[in-house]
Amino acid sequence: MEKWENNRAWFLVLPVFVVVAFSAIIPLMTVVNYSIQDIFGPGNAVFVGTEWFEEMLTDSRLHDALGRQFIFSGLVLLIEIPLGILIALAMPKKGWGVSASLITLAIPLLIPWNVIGTIWIIFTRPDIGLFGVGINSLNLLDVPFDHTARPSFAWITLMAMEVWHWTPLVALLCYAGLRAIPEAYYQAAKIDGASAWSVFRYIQLPKMRGVLTIAVLLRWMDSFLIYAEPFALTGGGPGNSTTFLSIYLVKLATGQFDLGPAAAFSLIYFLIVLLFSFIFYQALLNVGKGEKIA
Amino acid sequence: MGLQLENLDKLVGREIYLKDIRLDLASGSRHVILGRTLAGKTTLLRILAGLDKPTHGRILVDGRDLTGVSVRKRSVAMVYQQFINYPSLTVFDNIASPLKLAGISKQEIDARVRRTAAMLHIDNLLDRMPAELSGGQQQRTAIARALVKETQLLLLDEPLVNLDYKLREELRVELQQIFKQRDAIVVYTTTEPAEALMLGGNIVVMDEGRILQAGPTAQVYRHPSNARVAEIFSDPPINFVHGHVRDRQAWFGRGISLPLTGQLAGLAEGEYTFGVRCNHLFLKASSPEDIEIRASVELSEINGSETFIHVSYDDQKLVVQDDGIHQLKLGREIPVYVNPCHFFVFDEQGRLAAAPDQACHSNL
């Protein structure tokens, strides 16, 4: 093997290596280490091989949480992406309305996540909350509305919160994409006699593909990893109805101190997120193949 | 179809975009609108297309007022500076799009798209997506989309400006051929005098929202009605030298004088601006009538196979267009020769007082 001429080049890579090691590699390898041991206490662990992985893969509570997670993230994408596009299309293109709508949209994004949970708890409370009192005064429901009363109520509250919180991000991304389309495209479409739908279908949507890819990926990953909001709102209840993967994981790891199974679970969780992000990315890349991503 | 513009004004806020535009575009005629950036060329095209309404004035088509009529109801096609195609449609579908919207039968669409694509040499690219094409091919697609409709009015807004030099030359020649075969009114905007000359037809010289001069291209080139037209319609801009006529002699700068002969014969006494295009200044004397100006070199700029030599003479700047590539030392004094028969003369108001006559062009 050839000798390196200048070994000092290593020192230049070292800082990055140290940072990455402490931020990613060491924590990840610790989790891998835990996942193959049964830990009774500090310095008291037994090697168990793939036992925890097998246990986790057959755990019915995990399956339920995973199912819930898919439904939740699916609904998030189905609601937030079209809604975000609609908001972006409806936003003003010039004048004071632009800054006004941009600031209004940015407000939910600026609020800390656990504060959002608290806001919505108060908002939906049946005794003092605007929404809770309002919907109960209509007397439409057989049970008074309370986000802890029924699984469906908890889901509705959670979805409303999630949509309120993150649709602005999708809208802002789409708005940026729309603004990047040269005016000449619209003129050309007008001269062709294209309808508003055709303009959307053949100009705006293809031109927004780049930002939509980012929006879908961000919303997918973020909603799949959701923790703070359901934790603040219901703590995973009522029952287990809003126990998503991360809530179940935390219960397992810090509630029961099952560090081994929790570590195995974390790795599986990580791989699922990675796999689906990759699938989405590939799928969006191949839609209308041949176009450049803006 | 004949198209008349009557006293068009376009104001945006307080700013004047177009002022008192009168134009008469006959059926089948070709018009190049020449003007620098912000001259109002694009605004005028937008009004012609019906994308924009004039603030005052009317647009008449065969005597019928069309001012407020929506663009959808007009027979118009437009090509833009940017390469505008539908990004998710193939080249074929892009070219077919205006026909599909017009509800034409499938067979005819197919035939017309293929014919137009063949004319623009993109018939082998019909299955491609716009993003898979080069800039030139993308613009060819956009031009094909405009041509396929066979509209009565075809507008092109600096269509070649974003292409590289070679492609521009190529497409310019092809476009000229295509325009000749059409009976549509073609309006083509450009900032380049050379492009206007190559396309021929009629020219409309615009500046600051006004039409300075309109007429057959060659005639406007030889008889610019004022100094500004001569400036816009020359690249590099025409050289101006201030002077005056006294005692049957024209005087300029440091004691150079000329007898009033040829086109200069009719000049009355007074102050004048003498203009001469850069290609009529030489570094070597070519005829006995030539006058010699001693000027110092300020910059020599190589442009393709030509060199533009910027010189200064008596505090006045001149540009000499010289064939071939030359590097001249800065500050060096060189003789510059010019035949007075190439002089344009403008009076104190900038109006044309004398222009080179035909005999001078032929002895070039």
Side-chain angles (χ1 to χ4, degrees):
Chain A
M1 212 163 103
E2 242 181 284
K3 261 196 169 183
W4 288 338
E5 275 182 34
N6 188 354
N7 286 323
R8 264 177 293 180
W10 261 106
F11 290 110
L12 300 174
V13 189
L14 212 56
V16 178
F17 181 75
V18 169
V19 168
V20 173
F22 275 93
S23 70
I25 299 171
I26 295 174
L28 187 68
M29 291 322 290
T30 311
V31 173
V32 172
N33 189 23
Y34 284 0
S35 71
I36 49 172
Q37 298 186 66
D38 194 354
I39 296 157
F40 300 107
N44 186 1
V46 180
F47 178 77
V48 292
T50 58
E51 191 187 319
W52 298 134
F53 287 95
E54 282 158 28
E55 191 182 312
M56 281 300 118
L57 287 172
T58 53
D59 182 356
S60 67
R61 280 177 305 168
L62 188 143
H63 291 169
D64 293 346
L66 186 65
R68 259 176 239 126
Q69 189 73 68
F70 273 114
I71 295 171
F72 180 76
S73 292
L75 281 174
V76 162
L77 288 182
L78 282 177
I79 297 173
E80 290 183 6
I81 300 294
L83 192 61
I85 294 174
L86 280 177
I87 292 172
L89 288 171
M91 275 169 70
K93 279 161 195 71
K94 54 185 169 190
W96 60 270
V98 175
S99 353
S101 51
L102 286 178
I103 290 169
T104 314
L105 278 179
I107 288 173
L109 300 172
L110 298 175
I111 302 173
W113 296 2
N114 51 353
V115 175
I116 284 182
T118 314
I119 291 175
W120 278 79
I121 288 174
I122 297 170
F123 185 55
T124 54
R125 265 176 73 152
D127 53 350
I128 54 165
L130 186 63
F131 181 76
V133 172
I135 197 153
N136 285 334
S137 69
L138 296 173
N139 280 323
L140 294 172
L141 305 165
D142 51 340
V143 183
F145 185 89
D146 180 341
H147 63 263
T148 55
R150 279 183 175 181
S152 61
F153 291 175
W155 270 74
I156 288 168
T157 312
L158 202 58
M159 286 305 301
M161 183 166 80
E162 168 70 25
V163 167
W164 173 81
H165 191 185
W166 289 112
T167 308
L169 177 77
V170 180
L172 288 175
L173 283 168
C174 291
Y175 187 65
L178 284 174
R179 292 301 299 273
I181 303 173
E183 180 59 31
Y185 277 93
Y186 296 111
Q187 292 179 19
K190 224 172 161 186
I191 288 176
D192 281 356
S195 62
W197 165 251
S198 302
V199 169
F200 175 70
R201 171 68 187 77
Y202 296 112
I203 297 173
Q204 290 170 325
L205 201 56
K207 285 274 170 191
M208 273 196 293
R209 217 163 55 85
V211 287
L212 278 177
T213 307
I214 294 167
V216 167
L217 282 177
L218 280 179
R219 288 317 306 133
W220 161 258
M221 284 193 287
D222 234 27
S223 65
F224 210 83
L225 303 175
I226 190 168
Y227 178 75
E229 291 93 335
F231 178 75
L233 195 70
T234 59
N240 270 332
S241 62
T242 56
T243 300
F244 299 118
L245 285 175
S246 61
I247 295 209
Y248 181 52
L249 174 61
V250 172
K251 275 182 186 169
L252 207 60
T254 63
Q256 304 168 10
F257 280 98
D258 285 338
L259 292 181
F265 180 1
S266 298
L267 289 174
I268 296 168
Y269 195 177
F270 172 60
L271 290 176
I272 292 174
V273 173
L274 207 62
L275 176 71
F276 276 86
S277 299
F278 181 73
I279 292 172
F280 275 124
Y281 181 68
Q282 286 301 323
L284 284 160
L285 211 63
N286 290 324
V287 172
K289 211 176 168 189
E291 283 166 55
K292 273 182 221 147
I293 293 223
Chain B
M1 184 183 88
L3 191 75
Q4 282 95 41
L5 304 184
E6 285 186 348
N7 307 40
L8 283 190
D9 286 342
K10 176 72 183 173
L11 298 147
V12 178
R14 280 204 185 153
E15 249 179 290
I16 297 169
Y17 276 40
L18 291 176
K19 182 77 190 154
D20 202 23
I21 300 292
R22 297 152 203 245
L23 265 183
D24 202 340
L25 312 178
S27 178
S29 59
R30 281 169 296 137
H31 303 266
V32 176
I33 300 180
L34 176 70
R36 306 249 162 103
T37 0
L38 297 177
K41 305 186 296 291
T42 303
T43 313
L44 182 57
L45 278 199
R46 287 174 54 95
I47 289 175
L48 279 171
L51 288 165
D52 225 342
K53 275 189 211 160
T55 315
H56 309 111
R58 301 195 300 164
I59 302 169
L60 301 175
V61 172
D62 297 330
R64 206 162 49 88
D65 192 350
L66 206 70
T67 317
V69 175
S70 139
V71 60
R72 290 173 207 276
K73 295 191 181 131
R74 298 191 187 189
S75 175
V76 61
M78 190 155 168
V79 179
Y80 298 83
Q81 224 178 78
Q82 303 103 319
F83 315 135
I84 304 293
N85 293 304
Y86 296 109
S88 60
L89 298 182
T90 60
V91 170
F92 183 94
D93 288 331
N94 257 294
I95 302 173
S97 61
L99 299 179
K100 277 184 187 160
L101 287 161
I104 288 167
S105 79
K106 252 198 154 128
Q107 287 166 320
E108 200 191 332
I109 289 180
D110 194 71
R112 274 167 75 172
V113 168
R114 285 181 198 284
R115 193 173 352 121
T116 315
M119 194 157 64
L120 284 150
H121 311 298
I122 46 172
D123 40 340
N124 54 338
L125 304 171
L126 288 173
D127 298 328
R128 298 255 194 111
M129 286 293 184
E132 296 170 322
L133 304 178
S134 71
Q137 290 165 338
Q138 286 183 39
Q139 191 65 321
R140 282 170 186 273
T141 307
I143 293 169
R145 225 182 60 237
L147 290 174
V148 78
K149 251 172 41 169
E150 288 174 8
T151 52
Q152 291 171 300
L153 184 58
L154 176 61
L155 307 170
L156 300 103
D157 191 8
E158 299 187 45
L160 307 181
V161 78
N162 285 344
L163 295 174
D164 62 66
Y165 183 73
K166 201 75 206 158
L167 283 171
R168 208 186 305 174
E169 301 272 281
E170 210 176 281
L171 207 48
R172 194 185 280 156
V173 174
E174 285 177 37
L175 280 179
Q176 196 194 359
Q177 297 302 323
I178 290 166
F179 294 160
K180 274 186 186 156
Q181 295 160 13
R182 307 232 136 202
D183 49 5
I185 299 176
V186 179
V187 182
Y188 186 110
T189 70
T190 183
T191 53
E192 287 176 49
E195 191 163 86
L197 283 169
M198 199 173 278
L199 288 165
N202 296 304
I203 195 164
V204 178
V205 181
M206 286 188 72
D207 189 41
E208 296 181 341
R210 287 157 211 269
I211 292 180
L212 296 182
Q213 194 178 359
T217 304
Q219 194 191 321
V220 173
Y221 187 75
R222 288 188 185 135
H223 297 274
S225 61
N226 60 47
R228 186 70 184 146
V229 174
E231 210 177 334
I232 294 168
F233 206 169
S234 316
D235 183 43
I238 193 166
N239 293 304
F240 288 123
V241 177
H242 296 288
H244 56 265
V245 170
R246 197 185 305 137
D247 306 328
R248 304 303 305 151
Q249 294 263 333
W251 299 82
F252 26 73
R254 284 179 308 218
I256 296 180
S257 73
L258 277 177
L260 294 183
T261 54
Q263 85 275 28
L264 308 177
L267 292 178
E269 292 201 350
E271 298 285 323
Y272 290 97
T273 302
F274 295 83
V276 61
R277 289 203 166 99
C278 306
N279 54 335
H280 292 141
L281 291 177
F282 298 97
L283 297 182
K284 286 192 192 86
S286 53
S287 74
E289 294 94 57
D290 277 11
I291 52 173
E292 187 190 305
I293 301 169
R294 306 232 27 119
S296 66
V297 178
E298 292 207 320
L299 172 73
S300 63
E301 184 190 353
I302 293 160
N303 179 15
S305 58
E306 290 159 348
T307 309
F308 295 128
I309 304 152
H310 297 245
V311 297
S312 94
Y313 155 72
D314 195 27
D315 290 337
Q316 308 195 76
K317 309 256 183 268
L318 300 175
V319 181
V320 182
Q321 181 181 340
D322 192 27
D323 281 343
I325 294 169
H326 305 283
Q327 280 293 0
L328 288 156
K329 226 174 129 192
L330 303 192
R332 203 180 113 190
E333 208 174 72
I334 54 165
V336 174
Y337 297 94
V338 60
N339 187 331
C341 84
H342 290 299
F343 279 151
F344 289 92
V345 188
F346 301 97
D347 65 13
E348 275 179 286
Q349 281 77 46
R351 288 174 307 214
L352 186 72
D357 38 73
Q358 217 59 41
C360 183
H361 290 296
S362 54
N363 78 21
L364 184 83

